[in-house]
Amino acid sequence: MDFYLTALLQGLCFSGIALGIYISMKIFNIPDITTDGSYTLGGVVTAIFLTHHQPGYIVLPAVIVAGAIAGALTGIIHTKLKINALLAGILVMTALYSVNLSFMGRSNLPLINTTSVFTLLHLVNDSNQNTFWILLVFVAIVTLIIGYLLKTDFGIAMRATGNSESMIRALGVNTDRMKIIGLAIANALTATSGYLITQFQGFADISMGIGIVIVGLGSVIIAEAFINWFRITSIWISLILVLAGAVIFQFVLALTLSIGVDANLLKLVTAVFVLLIVSLPRLSFKKSL
């Protein structure tokens, strides 16, 4: 049972990554690998500020700004230097490894004698339930902000940039600026996941972001399967399904561990699971033909 409770809490922590990947891949059609670096950057900034006993109202904005800068750099390299988006993300991700290591000064930074958002706020007496409600409220607020943003004229222009770049450019929209801002928002969301998971697990590690992009990708693919099956067009429902995908993804990993699969094989199981999700719709489509 502990596996599944932890999976639920981690799924909520990873919701920022899922929303970030949703914006970069589903709205802008950009495979953004910056995620691995900006997630770690969020955790590193959180750990540094908390170990220096900075207040929460400074820590979270600093994390958001750091993630946004990382995403904006990828967008600038892609749009202004005309470098492939995938390569631009890899370049920034690689650079962020050194940046994160320099910030921490070592490979691991534990949060000893620090106050996290989960200990600062007391909504209920039980610690696990308290963590759950804090995460739920946090994720709900972030989702409402993103959902509202995507429904505004600016958000519609963002979505149009991904759907038909030439058309929206003909209407006078600066698509390069849209991509830069979109990637900044996506990586700011990813950094908030690093902010949450660092406080949840009690430390920041230089390798915590390795392969984390597949978590967000798997969450979005799960959501996309439901969106396609039920022909969902509502942005709000799509965002909720992306959050559900993040939790489902963690539940699958928890189930894998609970049935006795070696933890060393967890990355392999994750890759196979994502492959199955990607291939099932195509297999069913071929069968129907």
Side-chain angles (χ1 to χ4, degrees):
M1 193 64 188
D2 289 341
F3 275 130
Y4 298 105
L5 178 58
T6 303
L8 174 60
L9 298 177
Q10 283 190 334
L12 291 172
C13 287
F14 288 138
S15 59
I17 293 177
L19 291 172
I21 294 291
Y22 177 77
I23 289 173
S24 62
M25 291 205 66
K26 303 310 297 179
I27 291 182
F28 287 100
N29 297 314
I30 293 176
D32 185 22
I33 307 299
T34 318
T35 300
D36 283 14
S38 57
Y39 169 75
T40 307
L41 179 63
V44 168
V45 171
T46 301
I48 291 172
F49 274 69
L50 288 180
T51 51
H52 285 81
H53 305 290
Q54 296 297 317
Y57 61 82
I58 292 179
V59 180
L60 182 56
V63 167
I64 292 171
V65 169
I69 291 172
L73 282 174
T74 300
I76 291 168
I77 292 170
H78 170 52
T79 58
K80 303 304 181 184
L81 301 182
K82 307 301 179 186
I83 291 176
N84 178 275
L86 184 62
L87 178 57
I90 292 172
L91 290 172
V92 174
M93 177 199 70
T94 304
L96 281 175
Y97 185 90
S98 295
V99 171
N100 291 330
L101 196 57
S102 298
F103 280 169
M104 285 200 297
R106 47 182 171 165
S107 61
N108 187 285
L109 189 59
L111 301 181
I112 301 172
N113 298 323
T114 60
T115 302
S116 73
V117 68
F118 304 121
T119 57
L120 186 64
L121 300 173
H122 293 281
L123 303 181
V124 292
N125 290 328
D126 184 82
S127 61
N128 287 328
Q129 289 184 22
N130 190 61
T131 300
F132 168 74
W133 287 113
I134 290 172
L135 285 172
L136 194 64
V137 171
F138 186 93
V139 171
I141 292 171
V142 170
T143 306
L144 286 171
I145 293 171
I146 297 302
Y148 175 77
L149 175 66
L150 293 177
K151 297 288 281 186
T152 62
D153 291 343
F154 179 80
I156 291 170
M158 282 174 58
R159 289 151 62 188
T161 300
N163 287 332
S164 180
E165 187 174 341
S166 56
M167 182 201 74
I168 198 68
R169 193 186 295 119
L171 295 175
V173 174
N174 188 327
T175 54
D176 285 355
R177 186 184 302 162
M178 284 293 165
K179 289 179 182 178
I180 293 168
I181 294 173
L183 287 173
I185 293 171
N187 283 280
L189 288 167
T190 299
T192 60
S193 277
Y195 163 83
L196 291 172
I197 203 72
T198 296
Q199 295 179 79
F200 178 69
Q201 66 188 9
F203 65 91
D205 191 89
I206 192 63
S207 62
M208 62 188 283
I210 296 176
I212 201 68
V213 66
I214 202 169
V215 173
L217 185 61
S219 306
V220 171
I221 291 171
I222 292 170
E224 188 181 18
F226 287 110
I227 290 168
N228 292 336
W229 288 340
F230 297 107
R231 302 181 187 278
I232 292 167
T233 56
S234 168
I235 281 292
W236 291 107
I237 298 175
S238 297
L239 292 178
I240 290 170
L241 287 174
V242 169
L243 300 179
V247 175
I248 292 169
F249 192 88
Q250 294 304 311
F251 272 138
V252 171
L253 298 184
L255 177 63
T256 302
L257 290 172
S258 65
I259 61 177
V261 175
D262 190 344
N264 292 330
L265 301 176
L266 197 58
K267 293 287 186 184
L268 174 62
V269 172
T270 303
V272 171
F273 177 58
V274 173
L275 178 62
L276 285 173
I277 299 169
V278 172
S279 58
L280 277 177
R282 290 166 174 77
L283 291 175
S284 59
F285 176 73
K286 287 181 179 180
K287 198 172 289 185
S288 63
L289 291 177

